[in-house]
């Protein structure tokens, strides 16, 4: 794939060892339509933080091509995207707090849920190495996992009417797949996810997330 060469060239340009700045790095995670974009934009505004996303904008033109490939190739694209965004986080965190819309936990949770067939009970047990953070990937200070009921998620999905990836369609059609993604998120470790109920109004969710950030990120100015 010519797109693969282009992504690999960008990865090669990233330093092997990224040195992060002193400002906190906060990741917002969750299934699609739980409110990540809404929350990341509002938090970035409130904290005057840099707003980044994984996969990063510099490779988003190739995303569709990889989404059409078999799972292992698609997954490699999202994994490498995290390493590219890590170098963006490193630079941005020297200047201001950083808020990231999805990161490693998304890549891992969707990959685990896709690879494990059958029931939720077939997932690798809690504390298995698949739930550990990669040793060579820049770690965030805080990971917030937004959750809403399946019914509210569906209302939000239908309300916005955007196109979805096949995995997102699978999430809607297949509640076992959704549960496997949710359990995988919950079992991710070092850093683990801090769950925030994202069902209330946008303002109340924002206040809950900001209060968690202030509790957990003492280095905030
Ligand atoms: N607290 C809320 N109450 C009601 N609606 C909300 C709330 N937060 C977000 N929404 C709406 O739900 C929809 C999904 O929100 P958003 O796009 O922020 O989710 P997302 O998690 O970023 O989705 P995706 O991962 O698919 O990009 C949007 O139409 C948004 O306006
Ligand atoms: N870091 C990431 C980001 C996204 N993905 C995959 C998982 C889903 O298939 C899809 C959801 O992305 P969205 O539509 O919310 O932008 O992308 C991933 O594996 N890793």
């Amino acid at each position: 794939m010519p797109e693969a060469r282009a992504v690999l060239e960008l990865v090669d340009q990233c330093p092997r060892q990224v040195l992060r700045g002193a400002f906190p790095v906060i990741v917002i995670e969750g299934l699609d339509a739980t409110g990540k974009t809404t929350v990341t934009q509002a938090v970035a505004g409130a904290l005057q933080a840099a707003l980044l996303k994984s996969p990063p904008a510099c490779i988003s033109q190739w995303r569709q091509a990889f989404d059409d490939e078999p799972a292992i190739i698609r997954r490699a694209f999202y994994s490498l995207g995290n390493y590219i965004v890590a170098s963006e986080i490193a630079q941005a965190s020297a200047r201001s707090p950083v808020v990231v819309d999805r990161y490693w936990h998304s890549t891992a949770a969707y990959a685990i849920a896709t690879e494990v067939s059958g029931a939720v009970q077939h997932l690798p047990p809690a504390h298995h190495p698949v739930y550990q953070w990669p040793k060579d990937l820049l770690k965030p200070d805080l990971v917030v996992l937004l959750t809403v009921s399946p019914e509210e998620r569906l209302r939000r999905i239908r309300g916005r009417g955007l196109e979805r990836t096949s995995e997102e369609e699978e999430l809607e059609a297949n509640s076992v797949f959704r549960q496997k993604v949710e359990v995988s998120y919950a079992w991710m470790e070092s850093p683990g996810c801090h769950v925030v109920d994202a069902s209330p109004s946008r303002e109340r969710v924002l206040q809950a997330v900001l209060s968690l950030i202030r509790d957990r990120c003492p280095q905030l100015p």
Side-chain angles (χ1 to χ4, degrees):
M1 291 173 74
E3 294 88 355
R5 186 178 296 278
V7 173
L8 288 170
E9 274 168 12
L10 277 177
V11 175
D12 282 342
Q13 287 165 24
C14 297
R16 297 258 157 200
Q17 287 277 323
V18 287
L19 277 184
R20 48 164 299 175
F23 286 92
V25 177
I26 299 128
V27 173
I28 309 292
E29 290 282 7
L31 299 180
D32 63 302
T34 48
K36 296 180 300 301
T37 305
T38 306
V39 167
T40 48
Q41 288 174 350
V43 169
L47 299 182
Q48 296 184 312
L51 175 49
L52 298 174
K53 62 187 294 187
S54 172
C58 63
I59 59 169
S60 60
Q61 71 268 37
W62 301 306
R63 185 172 180 176
Q64 188 58 56
F66 283 94
D67 277 342
D68 293 339
E69 292 293 322
I72 189 145
I73 296 178
R74 193 164 73 236
R75 215 54 74 192
F77 169 79
Y78 286 106
S79 297
L80 287 175
N82 290 317
Y83 285 82
I84 297 173
V85 92
S87 61
E88 297 180 354
I89 294 172
Q91 288 180 10
S93 62
R95 297 187 292 267
S96 69
V98 183
V99 184
V100 194
D101 187 342
R102 292 196 190 271
Y103 194 27
W104 179 260
H105 285 2
S106 278
T107 307
Y110 282 80
I112 295 165
T114 308
E115 293 304 314
V116 173
S117 54
V120 179
Q121 290 76 6
H122 295 174
L123 285 172
H127 312 300
H128 187 278
V130 292
Y131 303 114
Q132 307 300 317
W133 191 264
K135 288 195 176 64
D136 58 352
L137 183 63
L138 185 150
K139 269 191 193 189
D141 297 285
L142 176 67
V143 182
V144 178
L145 178 64
L146 302 180
T147 60
V148 294
S149 68
E151 296 75 24
E152 174 61 15
R153 242 189 87 242
L154 268 189
R155 266 194 293 279
R156 293 184 187 181
I157 288 171
R158 292 188 176 139
R160 69 180 178 180
L162 290 179
E163 269 191 40
R164 278 162 292 148
T165 65
S166 54
E167 268 175 2
E168 288 167 340
E169 277 165 11
E170 179 78 6
L171 277 177
E172 188 176 326
N174 181 343
S175 75
V176 177
F177 181 70
R178 189 178 63 235
Q179 285 170 45
K180 285 190 283 192
V181 177
E182 286 175 333
V183 171
S184 301
Y185 267 135
W187 284 353
M188 298 304 298
E189 289 183 337
S190 315
C193 297
H194 292 259
V195 176
V196 167
D197 175 12
S199 324
S201 68
R202 291 170 181 79
E203 188 50 38
R204 281 182 56 198
V205 176
L206 172 63
Q207 290 313 323
V209 172
L210 286 175
S211 145
L212 182 61
I213 294 172
R214 292 203 172 96
D215 276 0
R216 298 276 161 177
C217 300
Q219 71 274 49
L220 258 186

